[in-house]
Amino acid sequence: MKTDVLTEKHRLGIGGVAIGTAFGNISDEESYSILQTAWDLGIRYYDTSPWYGLTKSERRFGHFLKDKDRSDFIFSTKVGRLFHEVPESEVPPTMWKKPLNYDFKHDYTADAIKRSVEDSLERTGLDHIDIVYVHDLSEDQVGDRYPYFLEQAKKGAFKVLSELRDQGVIKAWGMGVNKIEPILDCIDSADPDICLSATQYSILEHEDAVDRLLPAVKKAGVKLVSGAGYNSGYIAGRDRYNYKDVIPKGMAEKRARIKDIAKKYNTDIVHAALHFVLASDEFASIIPGASKPEQVKDNWEGLNADIPADFWSELKSEGLIYEKAQTPNSSSF
């Protein structure tokens, strides 16, 4: 029983990495201001994870959303890690600037998935979760234990999430990962509905996804959500790329050239990056995070911006966009 959970009104959502203090110590008040701005603009897809801020982001999303009409928004969170409270001195080193006092372990067994869903419902105060993503089941997160955890997920997470979907407990499930292979592996062994493709597809880097990921999900009838369509802020000018400090060779020059061409057409690279992702038939939504309300407003303006067709033609003619990639003015869009 597959279902299209995300509709036209969910094409722009908001992700919870920054609200989990990934890039700065955002306060509760600041996080609620960001989420309120999103709500006021009409954004109705909210994605987070217990991993973000070691449960902090999930709690913040829940606190904000629990008084809203539950039928008025889509909420997704993630499974794959179980969390337990620890003294502050025992909190593990992570990317989070101000996490809560929790430690965690990866666990993709059926029992762990059920417990993780129950924990998320308790933390958020919501009565149900719409989409559940199997989080970070990929080599960049679990290293050489990937084959072990994949087998665990095949017997556990994948089966139990399909059961929960078929029972109507959740509406959809899929992978939430930074790599292509885990999505392909999941499609081969299970029946996911929608996958969160975090860092595989952006205006700067998309060739591999066009050749391998998009045809596979299209054939399987699986939709995608873009979780890092701005390469974790690099497109917007941040000195980080896909959550890391190492910038791939040649990327600064590519970014600069696209910015120059965007300026020529009275647009900007961030708005172009948003439109590029959504031009692909396989992507149902893009969910950029935000560290301040102004970024949410800019994303909304970008969604509604008019970008000239000649802009896309020039990017392709210069080889800045892969010739096989869909753009807003391509015939299949």
Side-chain angles (χ1 to χ4, degrees):
M1 185 192 80
K2 290 201 173 185
T3 176
D4 287 331
V5 180
L6 300 177
T7 65
E8 185 72 21
K9 69 178 181 179
H10 304 118
R11 282 168 65 78
L12 175 63
I14 182 167
V17 171
I19 283 173
T21 71
F23 312 118
N25 182 18
I26 293 178
S27 69
D28 287 344
E29 292 71 23
E30 288 170 319
S31 72
Y32 301 145
S33 178
I34 292 165
L35 292 169
Q36 187 65 53
T37 299
W39 186 268
D40 291 344
L41 287 169
I43 291 172
R44 292 296 183 269
Y45 176 30
Y46 296 81
D47 173 78
T48 186
S49 167
W51 167 236
Y52 306 158
L54 307 186
T55 78
K56 179 177 276 191
S57 179
E58 196 175 59
R59 294 173 195 275
R60 286 173 164 177
F61 272 69
H63 178 83
F64 176 78
L65 291 168
K66 65 183 179 182
D67 296 327
K68 304 290 187 287
D69 182 342
R70 188 63 189 85
S71 64
D72 200 21
F73 64 90
I74 295 294
F75 176 76
S76 59
T77 191
K78 306 179 179 75
V79 296
R81 292 180 179 92
L82 289 177
F83 294 82
H84 60 277
E85 198 167 358
V86 295
E88 192 166 346
S89 60
E90 295 178 22
V91 176
T94 60
M95 64 185 287
W96 314 109
K97 306 301 182 188
K98 188 70 173 177
L100 296 181
N101 295 353
Y102 283 82
D103 199 353
F104 65 93
K105 66 173 182 176
H106 288 273
D107 193 332
Y108 298 92
T109 62
D111 286 346
I113 298 313
K114 290 176 184 176
R115 181 181 150 193
S116 186
V117 170
E118 290 170 1
D119 288 349
S120 290
L121 289 171
E122 185 176 341
R123 281 190 291 262
T124 60
L126 300 176
D127 61 10
H128 70 274
I129 297 164
D130 297 294
I131 305 170
V132 174
Y133 295 116
V134 179
H135 202 195
D136 287 343
L137 177 53
S138 56
E139 287 188 10
D140 65 312
Q141 297 293 327
V142 299
D144 59 8
R145 299 195 77 196
Y146 174 69
Y148 168 78
F149 282 123
L150 178 62
E151 284 304 310
Q152 196 179 72
K154 285 179 181 178
K155 297 171 184 174
F158 297 172
K159 286 186 176 180
V160 77
L161 289 171
S162 286
E163 290 169 2
L164 291 174
R165 178 196 61 206
D166 295 344
Q167 293 164 6
V169 177
I170 62 175
K171 294 178 182 174
W173 74 272
M175 300 295 278
V177 288
N178 300 325
K179 300 291 182 182
I180 290 173
E181 281 74 20
I183 294 177
L184 302 181
D185 287 341
C186 181
I187 288 171
D188 283 344
S189 58
D191 62 340
D193 310 277
I194 189 162
C195 289
L196 178 54
S197 165
T199 59
Q200 305 99 309
Y201 194 82
S202 75
I203 197 170
L204 292 178
E205 188 177 7
H206 51 266
E207 292 86 347
D208 198 20
V210 169
D211 286 341
R212 295 199 298 136
L213 178 63
L214 302 192
V217 298
K218 184 175 184 178
K219 184 179 179 181
V222 173
K223 286 295 186 180
L224 295 173
V225 171
S226 170
Y230 302 159
N231 300 106
S232 72
Y234 185 70
I235 285 173
R238 307 293 187 274
D239 194 24
R240 60 175 182 262
Y241 189 88
N242 291 353
Y243 308 109
K244 296 182 175 65
D245 295 331
V246 179
I247 312 301
K249 187 176 180 180
M251 206 55 78
E253 294 80 3
K254 189 174 186 179
R255 180 179 67 177
R257 184 61 188 139
I258 294 175
K259 283 182 71 175
D260 287 344
I261 296 172
K263 191 173 182 181
K264 174 181 171 183
Y265 289 98
N266 294 314
T267 187
D268 71 67
I269 189 172
V270 175
H271 294 178
L274 189 153
H275 280 253
F276 175 76
V277 170
L278 292 178
S280 168
D281 291 336
E282 285 68 52
F283 279 89
S285 179
I286 185 170
I287 50 169
S291 300
K292 50 190 176 182
E294 289 75 20
Q295 292 170 331
V296 183
K297 292 175 184 176
D298 186 63
N299 290 331
W300 185 258
E301 290 171 6
L303 179 69
N304 296 290
D306 184 23
I307 300 177
D310 287 348
F311 166 77
W312 301 108
S313 299
E314 188 161 337
L315 291 189
K316 281 205 170 180
S317 69
E318 288 202 16
L320 294 164
I321 287 180
Y322 187 32
E323 60 184 14
K324 295 181 183 178
Q326 278 187 263
T327 54
N329 66 321
S330 60
S331 58
S332 55
F333 178 60

